[in-house]
Amino acid sequence: MADNDGVNLDDDGAVSAAPPKKGGLGALLPSLLKWVAIGLGAIILIVTVVIVTMKIMGGNTAAQTAIPISEEYTGKRELLDWYTSLGVVRAKTSDAISSSVTVEVVLGYKKDDKATASEITGRTIELKDFLRRYFTEKSAAELKPQNEEKLRIELRNAINDDILSTTKIKDVRFLQFDVVGQ
């Protein structure tokens, strides 16, 4: 029975080895700090995810706002190459007392468009003949300076429709345009 000297069998086998719990402010502070750290970690994680998502969706470009612009400032004219080798064309108007017309026409086409340049070069004689006939069919009143824009548009459309087959010109300009009455 020597083995049973230190054992108290009347306790129903309960071991009371756990220290008593502390109460008060000492237990509240570590738990409060734990929740603050969890909250800060969640905020940092959310902000990081939002920033990374915005960078991916935005394509890493700076934010730009649309500025309303009136129609008169929106269109920039494209830069054209000019065919200037047609030279001066002389003709007489269709009036009863004809006037002499001297015009030097240049043709504008897309920048670096070799096909248009070569087609215009190949049709130079046809273009000169067309221009001579065109101005011969006009009266001196139709060739006044206030009608110049209308003449340029008519010439461009006629050259594109009747002379050029695979390419198009974009613009027609006059380097010289003289109508001398007799």
Side-chain angles (χ1 to χ4, degrees), residues 3-116:
D3 291 336
N4 291 336
D5 286 339
V7 176
N8 186 4
L9 295 175
D10 294 334
D11 281 15
D12 293 333
V15 179
S16 59
K21 285 194 170 186
K22 289 188 197 178
L25 191 61
L28 181 65
L29 188 61
S31 124
L32 181 65
L33 287 175
K34 177 179 78 174
W35 286 109
V36 168
I38 291 172
L40 283 174
I43 290 173
I44 291 171
L45 179 68
I46 291 170
V47 168
T48 304
V49 168
V50 167
I51 289 174
V52 168
T53 304
M54 293 304 288
K55 288 285 187 181
I56 291 171
M57 295 299 288
N60 294 333
T61 59
Q64 296 179 358
T65 57
I67 300 170
I69 299 174
S70 67
E71 288 183 23
E72 61 191 14
Y73 294 108
T74 56
K76 286 201 174 219
R77 297 181 323 172
E78 70 178 307
L79 193 58
L80 301 174
D81 277 341
W82 296 92
Y83 186 82
T84 59
S85 298
L86 289 176
V88 177
V89 176
R90 289 180 181 81
K92 299 241 184 229
T93 62
S94 64
D95 297 320
I97 302 175
S98 63
S99 298
S100 177
V101 178
T102 305
V103 64
E104 184 175 359
V105 177
V106 294
L107 307 175
Y109 54 92
K110 275 187 186 178
K111 190 92 173 136
D112 299 324
D113 186 1
K114 304 295 184 203
T116 303

